[in-house]
Amino acid sequence: MPENFTPNERTRVVREPHRGVYDRDTINKILDEGLVCHVGFAMDGQPYVIPTMYARVGDAIYFHGSAASRMLRGVSAGIPVCITVTLVDGLVLARSVFNHSMNYRSVVALGKAVQVDAPAEKIEALHAFTEKILPGRWNEARQPNEKELKATSILRLPLTEVSAKIRSGPVEDDAEDYSVHVWAGIVPMQLTAGAPIRDERCDPAIPVPQYAARYRR
Ligand SMILES: Cc1cc2nc3c(=O)[nH]c(=O)nc-3n(C[C@H](O)[C@H](O)[C@H](O)COP(=O)(O)OP(=O)(O)OC[C@H]3O[C@@H](n4cnc5c(N)ncnc54)[C@H](O)[C@@H]3O)c2cc1C
């Protein structure tokens, strides 16, 4: 696999092009840190953008197909989708309203998503979803049975046309605004995990697993 994606007319970041990143490693890290992706597709001229969970396995993204599955009936060649993943790292409070912004890392992936039929690949995708939610969980929870596997629709998007965009660093104000007497700076943002809350029907004798008790992001 080449280390970089080659930007084309569909994936080249136009605005603030210096923020565009096509390096595979950086893109994989953003995809692996994100928990939710937004899947965009068009149906009968109406665009839909549906949030859903996903996991990257090698050079593909797997996501649940319930939202798009009705479109897939009879479309064996796949459906064109645009998948985005966004991580918000900070609020950028500039001196001027115009230059307020966010620090972020985002990925946009374009291509045709295909339905996964092979049970072994479905299992691999479900394993990746579960381990992404919490590493260690797959081995403890009951694994999917045949009926559940059949009822689960999963799609795979090969990562071929991909871009990332990253804004980091300080406020960028216009030169004349640095004299404006107002606080300016960054408010860092982070997604954090709280303490686990036992399910009402969970036997109190079962200890909280270490992977949940110690989960940090
Ligand atoms: C949290 C957050 C807040 C943002 N707020 C603003 C805002 O207020 N105003 C604003 O103008 N922009 C904002 N952006 C940037 C925005 O996502 C677009 O990059 C920008 O509006 C359009 O860029 P473009 O004209 O270069 O891209 P377009 O011509 O729209 O897209 C061309 C191609 O560039 C790539 N691309 C564009 N944007 C991104 C991206 N964010 N991540 C990865 N690949 C991308 C895609 O492959 C896309 O197909 C924000 C981004 C994030 C993540």
Side-chain angles (χ1 to χ4, degrees), residues 30-46:
I30 297 170
L31 292 175
D32 294 347
E33 186 174 332
L35 288 177
V36 174
C37 74
H38 287 81
V39 183
F41 56 92
M43 187 166 61
D44 301 330
Q46 171 63 53

PDB file of all heavy atoms in Angstrom, residues 30-46:
ATOM      1  N   ILE A  30      -6.865   8.951  12.726  1.00  0.00           N
ATOM      2  CA  ILE A  30      -8.128   9.688  12.929  1.00  0.00           C
ATOM      3  C   ILE A  30      -9.296   8.695  12.878  1.00  0.00           C
ATOM      4  O   ILE A  30     -10.183   8.709  13.730  1.00  0.00           O
ATOM      5  CB  ILE A  30      -8.299  10.798  11.860  1.00  0.00           C
ATOM      6  CG1 ILE A  30      -7.189  11.834  11.998  1.00  0.00           C
ATOM      7  CG2 ILE A  30      -9.685  11.446  11.975  1.00  0.00           C
ATOM      8  CD1 ILE A  30      -7.114  12.846  10.863  1.00  0.00           C
ATOM      9  N   LEU A  31      -9.269   7.806  11.882  1.00  0.00           N
ATOM     10  CA  LEU A  31     -10.367   6.830  11.750  1.00  0.00           C
ATOM     11  C   LEU A  31     -10.437   5.926  12.979  1.00  0.00           C
ATOM     12  O   LEU A  31     -11.518   5.553  13.432  1.00  0.00           O
ATOM     13  CB  LEU A  31     -10.180   5.988  10.484  1.00  0.00           C
ATOM     14  CG  LEU A  31     -10.351   6.745   9.161  1.00  0.00           C
ATOM     15  CD1 LEU A  31     -10.018   5.838   7.982  1.00  0.00           C
ATOM     16  CD2 LEU A  31     -11.776   7.279   9.022  1.00  0.00           C
ATOM     17  N   ASP A  32      -9.290   5.565  13.520  1.00  0.00           N
ATOM     18  CA  ASP A  32      -9.291   4.647  14.664  1.00  0.00           C
ATOM     19  C   ASP A  32      -9.705   5.348  15.960  1.00  0.00           C
ATOM     20  O   ASP A  32     -10.237   4.716  16.865  1.00  0.00           O
ATOM     21  CB  ASP A  32      -7.914   3.990  14.822  1.00  0.00           C
ATOM     22  CG  ASP A  32      -7.598   3.079  13.642  1.00  0.00           C
ATOM     23  OD1 ASP A  32      -8.528   2.782  12.857  1.00  0.00           O
ATOM     24  OD2 ASP A  32      -6.433   2.671  13.491  1.00  0.00           O
ATOM     25  N   GLU A  33      -9.461   6.652  16.041  1.00  0.00           N
ATOM     26  CA  GLU A  33      -9.856   7.383  17.256  1.00  0.00           C
ATOM     27  C   GLU A  33     -11.351   7.723  17.254  1.00  0.00           C
ATOM     28  O   GLU A  33     -11.993   7.750  18.298  1.00  0.00           O
ATOM     29  CB  GLU A  33      -9.025   8.673  17.378  1.00  0.00           C
ATOM     30  CG  GLU A  33      -9.276   9.401  18.692  1.00  0.00           C
ATOM     31  CD  GLU A  33      -8.352  10.595  18.881  1.00  0.00           C
ATOM     32  OE1 GLU A  33      -7.219  10.595  18.353  1.00  0.00           O
ATOM     33  OE2 GLU A  33      -8.781  11.543  19.580  1.00  0.00           O
ATOM     34  N   GLY A  34     -11.908   7.970  16.078  1.00  0.00           N
ATOM     35  CA  GLY A  34     -13.327   8.350  15.981  1.00  0.00           C
ATOM     36  C   GLY A  34     -14.241   7.207  16.391  1.00  0.00           C
ATOM     37  O   GLY A  34     -13.906   6.032  16.228  1.00  0.00           O
ATOM     38  N   LEU A  35     -15.396   7.549  16.950  1.00  0.00           N
ATOM     39  CA  LEU A  35     -16.371   6.531  17.342  1.00  0.00           C
ATOM     40  C   LEU A  35     -17.558   6.492  16.385  1.00  0.00           C
ATOM     41  O   LEU A  35     -18.198   5.464  16.238  1.00  0.00           O
ATOM     42  CB  LEU A  35     -16.900   6.814  18.757  1.00  0.00           C
ATOM     43  CG  LEU A  35     -15.924   6.550  19.906  1.00  0.00           C
ATOM     44  CD1 LEU A  35     -16.567   6.953  21.224  1.00  0.00           C
ATOM     45  CD2 LEU A  35     -15.511   5.093  19.946  1.00  0.00           C
ATOM     46  N   VAL A  36     -17.849   7.627  15.792  1.00  0.00           N
ATOM     47  CA  VAL A  36     -19.043   7.738  14.949  1.00  0.00           C
ATOM     48  C   VAL A  36     -18.637   8.274  13.581  1.00  0.00           C
ATOM     49  O   VAL A  36     -17.812   9.186  13.497  1.00  0.00           O
ATOM     50  CB  VAL A  36     -20.046   8.732  15.593  1.00  0.00           C
ATOM     51  CG1 VAL A  36     -21.226   8.992  14.674  1.00  0.00           C
ATOM     52  CG2 VAL A  36     -20.520   8.204  16.943  1.00  0.00           C
ATOM     53  N   CYS A  37     -19.225   7.690  12.542  1.00  0.00           N
ATOM     54  CA  CYS A  37     -19.041   8.282  11.216  1.00  0.00           C
ATOM     55  C   CYS A  37     -20.402   8.749  10.715  1.00  0.00           C
ATOM     56  O   CYS A  37     -21.441   8.311  11.215  1.00  0.00           O
ATOM     57  CB  CYS A  37     -18.413   7.284  10.248  1.00  0.00           C
ATOM     58  SG  CYS A  37     -19.522   5.975   9.676  1.00  0.00           S
ATOM     59  N   HIS A  38     -20.385   9.654   9.761  1.00  0.00           N
ATOM     60  CA  HIS A  38     -21.618  10.071   9.088  1.00  0.00           C
ATOM     61  C   HIS A  38     -21.558   9.557   7.664  1.00  0.00           C
ATOM     62  O   HIS A  38     -20.585   9.834   6.947  1.00  0.00           O
ATOM     63  CB  HIS A  38     -21.758  11.593   9.129  1.00  0.00           C
ATOM     64  CG  HIS A  38     -22.121  12.100  10.491  1.00  0.00           C
ATOM     65  ND1 HIS A  38     -21.193  12.272  11.488  1.00  0.00           N
ATOM     66  CD2 HIS A  38     -23.323  12.406  11.026  1.00  0.00           C
ATOM     67  CE1 HIS A  38     -21.821  12.696  12.586  1.00  0.00           C
ATOM     68  NE2 HIS A  38     -23.105  12.777  12.334  1.00  0.00           N
ATOM     69  N   VAL A  39     -22.561   8.791   7.291  1.00  0.00           N
ATOM     70  CA  VAL A  39     -22.601   8.197   5.946  1.00  0.00           C
ATOM     71  C   VAL A  39     -23.574   9.008   5.104  1.00  0.00           C
ATOM     72  O   VAL A  39     -24.764   9.090   5.426  1.00  0.00           O
ATOM     73  CB  VAL A  39     -23.089   6.732   6.002  1.00  0.00           C
ATOM     74  CG1 VAL A  39     -23.047   6.122   4.605  1.00  0.00           C
ATOM     75  CG2 VAL A  39     -22.242   5.920   6.966  1.00  0.00           C
ATOM     76  N   GLY A  40     -23.065   9.591   4.045  1.00  0.00           N
ATOM     77  CA  GLY A  40     -23.911  10.365   3.132  1.00  0.00           C
ATOM     78  C   GLY A  40     -24.177   9.576   1.862  1.00  0.00           C
ATOM     79  O   GLY A  40     -23.262   8.965   1.306  1.00  0.00           O
ATOM     80  N   PHE A  41     -25.437   9.562   1.443  1.00  0.00           N
ATOM     81  CA  PHE A  41     -25.784   8.912   0.172  1.00  0.00           C
ATOM     82  C   PHE A  41     -27.042   9.589  -0.364  1.00  0.00           C
ATOM     83  O   PHE A  41     -27.766  10.259   0.383  1.00  0.00           O
ATOM     84  CB  PHE A  41     -26.007   7.399   0.349  1.00  0.00           C
ATOM     85  CG  PHE A  41     -27.057   7.044   1.367  1.00  0.00           C
ATOM     86  CD1 PHE A  41     -28.382   6.856   0.983  1.00  0.00           C
ATOM     87  CD2 PHE A  41     -26.725   6.909   2.706  1.00  0.00           C
ATOM     88  CE1 PHE A  41     -29.359   6.526   1.924  1.00  0.00           C
ATOM     89  CE2 PHE A  41     -27.701   6.592   3.654  1.00  0.00           C
ATOM     90  CZ  PHE A  41     -29.013   6.398   3.270  1.00  0.00           C
ATOM     91  N   ALA A  42     -27.279   9.414  -1.653  1.00  0.00           N
ATOM     92  CA  ALA A  42     -28.459  10.030  -2.271  1.00  0.00           C
ATOM     93  C   ALA A  42     -29.444   8.948  -2.662  1.00  0.00           C
ATOM     94  O   ALA A  42     -29.042   7.877  -3.142  1.00  0.00           O
ATOM     95  CB  ALA A  42     -28.043  10.834  -3.496  1.00  0.00           C
ATOM     96  N   MET A  43     -30.730   9.213  -2.422  1.00  0.00           N
ATOM     97  CA  MET A  43     -31.747   8.257  -2.845  1.00  0.00           C
ATOM     98  C   MET A  43     -32.913   9.047  -3.426  1.00  0.00           C
ATOM     99  O   MET A  43     -33.450   9.931  -2.755  1.00  0.00           O
ATOM    100  CB  MET A  43     -32.206   7.410  -1.657  1.00  0.00           C
ATOM    101  CG  MET A  43     -33.129   6.294  -2.070  1.00  0.00           C
ATOM    102  SD  MET A  43     -33.340   5.065  -0.778  1.00  0.00           S
ATOM    103  CE  MET A  43     -34.024   6.016   0.508  1.00  0.00           C
ATOM    104  N   ASP A  44     -33.263   8.736  -4.671  1.00  0.00           N
ATOM    105  CA  ASP A  44     -34.348   9.440  -5.368  1.00  0.00           C
ATOM    106  C   ASP A  44     -34.144  10.950  -5.293  1.00  0.00           C
ATOM    107  O   ASP A  44     -35.086  11.710  -5.042  1.00  0.00           O
ATOM    108  CB  ASP A  44     -35.718   9.066  -4.767  1.00  0.00           C
ATOM    109  CG  ASP A  44     -35.977   7.568  -4.851  1.00  0.00           C
ATOM    110  OD1 ASP A  44     -35.460   6.942  -5.802  1.00  0.00           O
ATOM    111  OD2 ASP A  44     -36.651   7.019  -3.952  1.00  0.00           O
ATOM    112  N   GLY A  45     -32.908  11.373  -5.461  1.00  0.00           N
ATOM    113  CA  GLY A  45     -32.607  12.805  -5.484  1.00  0.00           C
ATOM    114  C   GLY A  45     -32.524  13.458  -4.117  1.00  0.00           C
ATOM    115  O   GLY A  45     -32.241  14.650  -4.014  1.00  0.00           O
ATOM    116  N   GLN A  46     -32.756  12.692  -3.066  1.00  0.00           N
ATOM    117  CA  GLN A  46     -32.699  13.256  -1.709  1.00  0.00           C
ATOM    118  C   GLN A  46     -31.418  12.800  -1.014  1.00  0.00           C
ATOM    119  O   GLN A  46     -31.204  11.600  -0.845  1.00  0.00           O
ATOM    120  CB  GLN A  46     -33.915  12.775  -0.893  1.00  0.00           C
ATOM    121  CG  GLN A  46     -33.856  13.112   0.588  1.00  0.00           C
ATOM    122  CD  GLN A  46     -33.854  14.617   0.853  1.00  0.00           C
ATOM    123  OE1 GLN A  46     -34.706  15.349   0.377  1.00  0.00           O
ATOM    124  NE2 GLN A  46     -32.859  15.079   1.602  1.00  0.00           N
TER     125      GLN A  46
END
